[in-house]
PDB file of all heavy atoms in Angstrom:
ATOM      1  N   PRO A  22     116.615 158.904 203.065  1.00 91.00           N
ATOM      2  CA  PRO A  22     117.301 158.095 202.052  1.00 91.00           C
ATOM      3  C   PRO A  22     116.400 157.680 200.884  1.00 91.00           C
ATOM      4  O   PRO A  22     115.177 157.644 201.019  1.00 91.00           O
ATOM      5  CB  PRO A  22     117.741 156.855 202.854  1.00 91.00           C
ATOM      6  CG  PRO A  22     117.775 157.297 204.277  1.00 91.00           C
ATOM      7  CD  PRO A  22     116.696 158.328 204.413  1.00 91.00           C
ATOM      8  N   VAL A  23     117.045 157.353 199.772  1.00 90.00           N
ATOM      9  CA  VAL A  23     116.336 156.874 198.573  1.00 90.00           C
ATOM     10  C   VAL A  23     115.498 155.649 198.915  1.00 90.00           C
ATOM     11  O   VAL A  23     115.960 154.751 199.630  1.00 90.00           O
ATOM     12  CB  VAL A  23     117.349 156.476 197.472  1.00 90.00           C
ATOM     13  CG1 VAL A  23     116.610 155.913 196.250  1.00 90.00           C
ATOM     14  CG2 VAL A  23     118.187 157.664 197.057  1.00 90.00           C
ATOM     15  N   GLY A  24     114.282 155.621 198.423  1.00 92.00           N
ATOM     16  CA  GLY A  24     113.451 154.423 198.526  1.00 92.00           C
ATOM     17  C   GLY A  24     112.659 154.305 199.812  1.00 92.00           C
ATOM     18  O   GLY A  24     111.936 153.329 200.012  1.00 92.00           O
ATOM     19  N   THR A  25     112.752 155.279 200.710  1.00 95.00           N
ATOM     20  CA  THR A  25     112.038 155.177 201.983  1.00 95.00           C
ATOM     21  C   THR A  25     110.566 155.593 201.858  1.00 95.00           C
ATOM     22  O   THR A  25     109.808 155.456 202.821  1.00 95.00           O
ATOM     23  CB  THR A  25     112.715 156.023 203.084  1.00 95.00           C
ATOM     24  OG1 THR A  25     112.865 157.374 202.615  1.00 95.00           O
ATOM     25  CG2 THR A  25     114.085 155.460 203.444  1.00 95.00           C
ATOM     26  N   GLY A  26     110.193 156.126 200.686  1.00 96.00           N
ATOM     27  CA  GLY A  26     108.782 156.429 200.465  1.00 96.00           C
ATOM     28  C   GLY A  26     108.432 157.901 200.470  1.00 96.00           C
ATOM     29  O   GLY A  26     107.267 158.265 200.679  1.00 96.00           O
ATOM     30  N   LYS A  27     109.393 158.769 200.170  1.00 96.00           N
ATOM     31  CA  LYS A  27     109.128 160.218 200.175  1.00 96.00           C
ATOM     32  C   LYS A  27     108.126 160.608 199.084  1.00 96.00           C
ATOM     33  O   LYS A  27     107.184 161.346 199.346  1.00 96.00           O
ATOM     34  CB  LYS A  27     110.437 161.005 199.982  1.00 96.00           C
ATOM     35  CG  LYS A  27     111.472 160.750 201.068  1.00 96.00           C
ATOM     36  CD  LYS A  27     112.746 161.538 200.826  1.00 96.00           C
ATOM     37  CE  LYS A  27     113.499 161.114 199.574  1.00 96.00           C
ATOM     38  NZ  LYS A  27     113.920 159.692 199.578  1.00 96.00           N
ATOM     39  N   SER A  28     108.350 160.137 197.853  1.00 95.00           N
ATOM     40  CA  SER A  28     107.434 160.502 196.761  1.00 95.00           C
ATOM     41  C   SER A  28     106.034 159.964 197.039  1.00 95.00           C
ATOM     42  O   SER A  28     105.035 160.650 196.802  1.00 95.00           O
ATOM     43  CB  SER A  28     107.940 159.956 195.422  1.00 95.00           C
ATOM     44  OG  SER A  28     109.190 160.519 195.085  1.00 95.00           O
ATOM     45  N   THR A  29     105.985 158.752 197.566  1.00 97.00           N
ATOM     46  CA  THR A  29     104.688 158.140 197.895  1.00 97.00           C
ATOM     47  C   THR A  29     103.984 158.937 198.986  1.00 97.00           C
ATOM     48  O   THR A  29     102.769 159.182 198.911  1.00 97.00           O
ATOM     49  CB  THR A  29     104.899 156.686 198.351  1.00 97.00           C
ATOM     50  OG1 THR A  29     105.622 155.993 197.332  1.00 97.00           O
ATOM     51  CG2 THR A  29     103.579 155.995 198.617  1.00 97.00           C
ATOM     52  N   ILE A  31     104.334 162.102 199.577  1.00 98.00           N
ATOM     53  CA  ILE A  31     103.857 163.341 198.960  1.00 98.00           C
ATOM     54  C   ILE A  31     102.582 163.083 198.149  1.00 98.00           C
ATOM     55  O   ILE A  31     101.612 163.847 198.236  1.00 98.00           O
ATOM     56  CB  ILE A  31     104.964 163.964 198.083  1.00 98.00           C
ATOM     57  CG1 ILE A  31     106.055 164.546 198.991  1.00 98.00           C
ATOM     58  CG2 ILE A  31     104.408 165.043 197.147  1.00 98.00           C
ATOM     59  CD1 ILE A  31     107.306 165.001 198.252  1.00 98.00           C
ATOM     60  N   THR A  48     110.362 168.633 193.207  1.00 94.00           N
ATOM     61  CA  THR A  48     111.170 167.427 193.427  1.00 94.00           C
ATOM     62  C   THR A  48     112.620 167.728 193.088  1.00 94.00           C
ATOM     63  O   THR A  48     112.918 168.636 192.312  1.00 94.00           O
ATOM     64  CB  THR A  48     110.700 166.257 192.546  1.00 94.00           C
ATOM     65  OG1 THR A  48     110.920 166.591 191.173  1.00 94.00           O
ATOM     66  CG2 THR A  48     109.230 165.953 192.769  1.00 94.00           C
ATOM     67  N   ASN A  49     113.519 166.959 193.696  1.00 91.00           N
ATOM     68  CA  ASN A  49     114.950 167.059 193.396  1.00 91.00           C
ATOM     69  C   ASN A  49     115.459 165.688 192.974  1.00 91.00           C
ATOM     70  O   ASN A  49     115.325 164.714 193.723  1.00 91.00           O
ATOM     71  CB  ASN A  49     115.726 167.491 194.644  1.00 91.00           C
ATOM     72  CG  ASN A  49     115.645 168.986 194.899  1.00 91.00           C
ATOM     73  OD1 ASN A  49     116.559 169.740 194.556  1.00 91.00           O
ATOM     74  ND2 ASN A  49     114.552 169.440 195.477  1.00 91.00           N
ATOM     75  N   ASP A  50     116.018 165.588 191.789  1.00 83.00           N
ATOM     76  CA  ASP A  50     116.665 164.353 191.346  1.00 83.00           C
ATOM     77  C   ASP A  50     118.048 164.711 190.847  1.00 83.00           C
ATOM     78  O   ASP A  50     118.294 165.843 190.443  1.00 83.00           O
ATOM     79  CB  ASP A  50     115.887 163.700 190.195  1.00 83.00           C
ATOM     80  CG  ASP A  50     114.712 162.879 190.698  1.00 83.00           C
ATOM     81  OD1 ASP A  50     114.938 161.997 191.544  1.00 83.00           O
ATOM     82  OD2 ASP A  50     113.580 163.122 190.238  1.00 83.00           O
ATOM     83  N   GLU A  55     112.573 162.102 187.375  1.00 87.00           N
ATOM     84  CA  GLU A  55     111.804 160.870 187.605  1.00 87.00           C
ATOM     85  C   GLU A  55     110.740 161.029 188.690  1.00 87.00           C
ATOM     86  O   GLU A  55     109.606 160.579 188.522  1.00 87.00           O
ATOM     87  CB  GLU A  55     112.764 159.747 187.971  1.00 87.00           C
ATOM     88  CG  GLU A  55     112.170 158.376 187.748  1.00 87.00           C
ATOM     89  CD  GLU A  55     113.258 157.307 187.713  1.00 87.00           C
ATOM     90  OE1 GLU A  55     114.311 157.535 187.103  1.00 87.00           O
ATOM     91  OE2 GLU A  55     113.026 156.273 188.325  1.00 87.00           O
ATOM     92  N   ASP A  56     111.107 161.633 189.818  1.00 90.00           N
ATOM     93  CA  ASP A  56     110.124 161.788 190.896  1.00 90.00           C
ATOM     94  C   ASP A  56     108.963 162.656 190.438  1.00 90.00           C
ATOM     95  O   ASP A  56     107.807 162.372 190.743  1.00 90.00           O
ATOM     96  CB  ASP A  56     110.780 162.416 192.133  1.00 90.00           C
ATOM     97  CG  ASP A  56     111.605 161.409 192.925  1.00 90.00           C
ATOM     98  OD1 ASP A  56     111.470 160.200 192.661  1.00 90.00           O
ATOM     99  OD2 ASP A  56     112.378 161.838 193.782  1.00 90.00           O
ATOM    100  N   ALA A  57     109.278 163.729 189.717  1.00 92.00           N
ATOM    101  CA  ALA A  57     108.216 164.610 189.221  1.00 92.00           C
ATOM    102  C   ALA A  57     107.303 163.840 188.271  1.00 92.00           C
ATOM    103  O   ALA A  57     106.070 163.962 188.337  1.00 92.00           O
ATOM    104  CB  ALA A  57     108.820 165.825 188.517  1.00 92.00           C
ATOM    105  N   MET A  59     106.765 160.591 188.239  1.00 92.00           N
ATOM    106  CA  MET A  59     105.977 159.649 189.039  1.00 92.00           C
ATOM    107  C   MET A  59     104.780 160.353 189.676  1.00 92.00           C
ATOM    108  O   MET A  59     103.666 159.857 189.648  1.00 92.00           O
ATOM    109  CB  MET A  59     106.897 159.020 190.100  1.00 92.00           C
ATOM    110  CG  MET A  59     106.237 158.026 191.035  1.00 92.00           C
ATOM    111  SD  MET A  59     105.314 158.729 192.420  1.00 92.00           S
ATOM    112  CE  MET A  59     105.797 157.658 193.753  1.00 92.00           C
ATOM    113  N   LEU A  60     105.027 161.547 190.209  1.00 93.00           N
ATOM    114  CA  LEU A  60     103.946 162.266 190.886  1.00 93.00           C
ATOM    115  C   LEU A  60     102.902 162.786 189.896  1.00 93.00           C
ATOM    116  O   LEU A  60     101.708 162.767 190.178  1.00 93.00           O
ATOM    117  CB  LEU A  60     104.520 163.419 191.716  1.00 93.00           C
ATOM    118  CG  LEU A  60     105.213 162.967 193.007  1.00 93.00           C
ATOM    119  CD1 LEU A  60     106.032 164.094 193.614  1.00 93.00           C
ATOM    120  CD2 LEU A  60     104.171 162.468 194.017  1.00 93.00           C
ATOM    121  N   GLU A 111     110.613 167.753 197.863  1.00 96.00           N
ATOM    122  CA  GLU A 111     111.229 166.438 198.109  1.00 96.00           C
ATOM    123  C   GLU A 111     112.726 166.519 197.859  1.00 96.00           C
ATOM    124  O   GLU A 111     113.171 166.987 196.816  1.00 96.00           O
ATOM    125  CB  GLU A 111     110.620 165.365 197.195  1.00 96.00           C
ATOM    126  CG  GLU A 111     111.276 163.995 197.417  1.00 96.00           C
ATOM    127  CD  GLU A 111     110.713 162.875 196.553  1.00 96.00           C
ATOM    128  OE1 GLU A 111     109.659 163.071 195.926  1.00 96.00           O
ATOM    129  OE2 GLU A 111     111.347 161.809 196.502  1.00 96.00           O
ATOM    130  N   SER A 112     113.518 166.032 198.799  1.00 93.00           N
ATOM    131  CA  SER A 112     114.976 166.035 198.625  1.00 93.00           C
ATOM    132  C   SER A 112     115.389 164.932 197.663  1.00 93.00           C
ATOM    133  O   SER A 112     114.645 163.994 197.406  1.00 93.00           O
ATOM    134  CB  SER A 112     115.676 165.827 199.963  1.00 93.00           C
ATOM    135  OG  SER A 112     115.659 164.461 200.313  1.00 93.00           O
ATOM    136  N   GLY A 113     116.612 165.048 197.147  1.00 85.00           N
ATOM    137  CA  GLY A 113     117.129 164.035 196.238  1.00 85.00           C
ATOM    138  C   GLY A 113     117.498 162.743 196.951  1.00 85.00           C
ATOM    139  O   GLY A 113     117.616 161.704 196.335  1.00 85.00           O
ATOM    140  N   GLY A 114     117.657 162.816 198.275  1.00 65.00           N
ATOM    141  CA  GLY A 114     117.800 161.608 199.071  1.00 65.00           C
ATOM    142  C   GLY A 114     119.013 160.756 198.774  1.00 65.00           C
ATOM    143  O   GLY A 114     118.915 159.537 198.694  1.00 65.00           O
TER     144      GLY A 114
HETATM  145 MG1   MG B   2     111.286 160.064 195.376  1.00 58.93          MG
END
Side-chain angles (χ1 to χ4, degrees):
V23 177
T25 54
K27 300 180 294 300
S28 297
T29 305
I31 288 171
T48 65
N49 280 261
D50 278 305
E55 200 163 318
D56 282 347
M59 179 279 222
L60 285 167
E111 179 179 348
S112 79

